[in-house]
Amino acid sequence: MADKRDFYEVLGLQKGASEDEIKKAYRKLAKQYHPDLNPGDAEAEAHFKEVGEAYEVLSDSEKKARYDQFGHAGVDPNFGGGYGGGYGGGVDFGDIGDIFSSIFGGFGGGFDGGFGGSRRQNPNAPKRGSDAAASVFISFDEAAKGCKKKVGVQRIATCPDCGGNGAKAGTSPKTCPLCGGSGYETRQQRTPFGVMQTQAPCSRCQGKGRIIESPCPSCGGQGRIRKTEQVGINIPAGIDDGQVINVPGKGNAGINGGPAGDLQIQVSVRPHPLFERDGFNIWYELPITYAQAALGAEIDVPTLDGHIRYEIKEGTQPGDILRVKGKGIPYLNGRGVGDMLLKVVVEVPKNLSKEQKKILQSFDEATSEKNYQKRKSFFDKIKKGF
């Protein structure tokens, strides 16, 4: 693993970065290098996988702690729960707290079980796998209506050849003869205060409680392998940009027959050329002519469900907000739909001919202050001011 870049460097962070900083950096880089935005770009795909691997470790507090202390050796993805760092590999640092909570098992036999007799954890007990992360890009319409997608996911899976026990086909792990399968060695040391009893990971099995004499060639005896696979997901109608979908049981495989973790998929929604989302409402700038605004008209308006006929009332002003009920975004996992908000934009005509200018001039001369409410109000305020 010497050729791997530092995970903090991959995400552009300093060691000790917060959970929010790690999440923000991952989202930014996952979007930048996502295969959907870089089709056929092998370098971008490699960066995308590297970013995903870095986030998988640094977003998990337990893995992050091991990585901060032992580097890549502490989070070897092929390890079936055992990690290096002082014990020749194979120690599950998730159990270290339980191991050393019983380090003072008794002084001179005067204390049975140490301070409170702490319980030792079975090193071969089933453990839940960690969560995996992925991202998916969808269109504005797919976010509004919901859709089904296939997502490429890098995850740790149970080795298909050994079924997760790490032993070569036809063989099986054996109970460690030194610790009897407990994973711990009890040692006694005479001190000025009496005999101190300590417990440490077994030096023979490195705390696993079992020994694999013929390792599985596919996983190297670790019981798990890293693989990329396509996972089908249902994206609910109404989902918004940046939200995360949790897929239970599709994360990294568990250890010793434990359940798999979850898959957390970040959703990125591409912008729409016409609409802008505002919660569960959508905005649309509605361009109309001067005559349509003044006289009123029935016009075509695009919506997410296709075009509709909409009546513009006489005297509609630039900047007016018109509401079309039920033509927005469906409420996420709920009943109801948002509205469509039309912001009126009155387009002033350009490149007028002499005849058109003459007609427009005649029209202007035929109008008075009673035709312009805002203008009349403006001059009334000036008169009152003086």
Side-chain angles (χ1 to χ4, degrees), residues 1-8 15 53-54 57-58 60 62-77 79 82-86 93:
M1 293 184 292
D3 58 335
K4 284 191 177 182
R5 284 203 297 156
D6 178 77
F7 285 154
Y8 289 102
K15 188 173 182 179
E53 185 178 358
V57 171
L58 299 184
D60 185 305
E62 186 179 332
K63 289 183 179 180
K64 182 174 179 290
R66 289 196 297 264
Y67 180 76
D68 287 345
Q69 186 172 5
F70 302 105
H72 291 295
V75 289
D76 185 341
F79 275 22
Y83 292 84
F93 280 84

Side-chain angles (χ1 to χ4, degrees), residues 19-34 36-37 48 51 55 59 132-138 149-153 233 235-236 239-247 262-270:
E19 182 179 342
D20 285 342
E21 289 173 332
I22 292 170
K23 185 178 295 184
K24 287 178 181 178
Y26 166 72
R27 289 180 176 178
K28 176 183 176 182
L29 293 172
K31 282 187 178 182
Q32 180 180 344
Y33 295 120
H34 199 283
D36 286 354
L37 298 183
F48 181 74
V51 166
Y55 179 71
S59 63
S135 60
V136 63
F137 281 81
I138 60 175
K149 288 286 184 180
K150 290 280 189 179
V151 180
V153 179
I233 60 169
I235 297 178
I239 197 161
D240 204 352
D241 183 64
Q243 290 186 312
V244 175
I245 296 174
N246 190 72
V247 185
D262 296 342
L263 173 61
Q264 297 183 339
I265 302 175
Q266 179 188 309
V267 177
S268 296
V269 181
R270 297 187 181 92

Side-chain angles (χ1 to χ4, degrees), residues 185-207:
E185 286 185 76
T186 300
R187 300 169 185 168
Q188 292 185 340
Q189 183 178 0
R190 190 173 299 279
T191 72
F193 302 100
V195 177
M196 184 175 72
Q197 180 175 290
T198 63
Q199 289 182 329
C202 175
S203 59
R204 178 76 180 273
C205 65
Q206 286 80 48

Side-chain angles (χ1 to χ4, degrees), residues 2-266:
D3 58 335
K4 284 191 177 182
R5 284 203 297 156
D6 178 77
F7 285 154
Y8 289 102
E9 179 187 342
V10 169
L11 297 182
L13 299 171
Q14 296 292 325
K15 188 173 182 179
S18 68
E19 182 179 342
D20 285 342
E21 289 173 332
I22 292 170
K23 185 178 295 184
K24 287 178 181 178
Y26 166 72
R27 289 180 176 178
K28 176 183 176 182
L29 293 172
K31 282 187 178 182
Q32 180 180 344
Y33 295 120
H34 199 283
D36 286 354
L37 298 183
N38 302 275
D41 189 336
E43 185 176 351
E45 183 178 355
H47 281 307
F48 181 74
K49 292 180 179 179
E50 186 180 42
V51 166
E53 185 178 358
Y55 179 71
E56 179 193 329
V57 171
L58 299 184
S59 63
D60 185 305
S61 58
E62 186 179 332
K63 289 183 179 180
K64 182 174 179 290
R66 289 196 297 264
Y67 180 76
D68 287 345
Q69 186 172 5
F70 302 105
H72 291 295
V75 289
D76 185 341
N78 288 324
F79 275 22
Y83 292 84
Y87 296 99
V91 177
D92 187 344
F93 280 84
D95 293 336
I96 288 295
D98 293 301
I99 294 173
F100 287 97
S101 65
S102 59
I103 191 168
F104 296 105
F107 291 92
F111 295 90
D112 185 14
F115 300 110
S118 89
R119 181 179 59 85
R120 293 181 303 184
Q121 184 175 341
N122 180 1
N124 295 312
K127 297 178 184 177
R128 179 185 183 274
S130 60
D131 293 340
S135 60
V136 63
F137 281 81
I138 60 175
S139 69
F140 192 95
D141 292 294
E142 287 174 327
K145 302 296 183 181
C147 61
K148 294 182 178 181
K149 288 286 184 180
K150 290 280 189 179
V151 180
V153 179
Q154 290 187 69
R155 60 186 296 266
I156 298 172
T158 300
C159 176
D161 293 333
C162 67
N165 67 15
K168 186 178 180 180
T171 67
S172 59
K174 296 182 178 180
T175 300
C176 176
L178 183 59
C179 65
S182 69
Y184 308 96
E185 286 185 76
T186 300
R187 300 169 185 168
Q188 292 185 340
Q189 183 178 0
R190 190 173 299 279
T191 72
F193 302 100
V195 177
M196 184 175 72
Q197 180 175 290
T198 63
Q199 289 182 329
C202 175
S203 59
R204 178 76 180 273
C205 65
Q206 286 80 48
K208 291 183 177 180
R210 59 183 186 174
I211 294 175
I212 299 174
E213 295 180 341
S214 300
C216 170
S218 298
C219 65
Q222 307 308 325
R224 301 193 298 173
I225 58 173
R226 182 179 290 279
K227 62 182 296 188
T228 300
E229 61 184 57
Q230 296 291 315
V231 176
I233 60 169
N234 291 317
I235 297 178
I239 197 161
D240 204 352
D241 183 64
Q243 290 186 312
V244 175
I245 296 174
N246 190 72
V247 185
K250 291 296 183 179
N252 294 318
I255 300 168
N256 298 327
D262 296 342
L263 173 61
Q264 297 183 339
I265 302 175
Q266 179 188 309

